[in-house]
């Protein structure tokens, strides 16, 4: 039996309201987490979204609902000076309308 591949993207709008709230809370905590707390938060986000890696929600101005692994895909809009996450665009938005800070 082969293992299922993790998803490369998830749709924020497809999450229920409680899941969206949980996602937002976990992302806020991950943004300011120390080195011992960061990875467990990413692991919890992976369970919630089905995505592994450096989980981000597209942060461009078109209000894209894509959640993705920033290590595999995406474009840095702004590095998170003093924070962990920064702002990233998903690959599709970066191709269609790349943004800068």
């Amino acid at each position: 039996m082969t293992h299922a591949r993790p998803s490369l993207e998830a749709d924020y709008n497809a999450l229920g309201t409680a899941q969206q709230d949980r996602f937002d809370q976990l992302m806020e905590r991950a943004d300011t987490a120390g080195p011992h707390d960061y990875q467990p938060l990413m692991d919890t986000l992976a369970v919630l979204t089905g995505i592994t890696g450096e989980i981000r929600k597209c942060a461009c101005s078109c209000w894209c609902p894509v959640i993705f692994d920033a290590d595999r895909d995406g474009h840095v809009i702004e590095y998170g000076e003093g924070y962990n996450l920064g702002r990233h665009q998903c690959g599709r938005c970066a191709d269609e309308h790349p943004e800068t800070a």
Side-chain angles (χ1 to χ4, degrees), residues 7-42:
S7 295
L8 299 178
E9 292 184 353
D11 183 344
Y12 180 81
N13 293 332
L15 299 174
T17 304
Q19 290 174 315
Q20 287 178 356
D21 290 344
R22 181 78 174 136
F23 177 86
D24 294 340
Q25 291 168 359
L26 290 166
M27 290 297 282
E28 286 177 25
R29 288 178 55 200
D31 197 26
T32 58
H36 297 291
D37 297 325
Y38 181 77
Q39 191 57 53
L41 290 165
M42 285 289 125

Side-chain angles (χ1 to χ4, degrees), residues 22 43 77 91 95:
R22 181 78 174 136
D43 293 343
I77 297 172
D95 287 344

Side-chain angles (χ1 to χ4, degrees), residues 10-11 24-25 33 37 55 62-63 66 71 76 85 95-96:
D11 183 344
D24 294 340
Q25 291 168 359
D37 297 325
I55 297 170
C62 73
W63 299 96
V66 171
D71 284 342
V76 176
L85 302 182
D95 287 344
E96 292 176 5

Side-chain angles (χ1 to χ4, degrees), residues 31 56 75-88 101:
D31 197 26
R56 302 293 187 273
H75 164 73
V76 176
I77 297 172
E78 179 177 26
Y79 290 98
E81 300 301 323
Y83 297 94
N84 294 324
L85 302 182
R87 291 179 55 225
H88 296 74

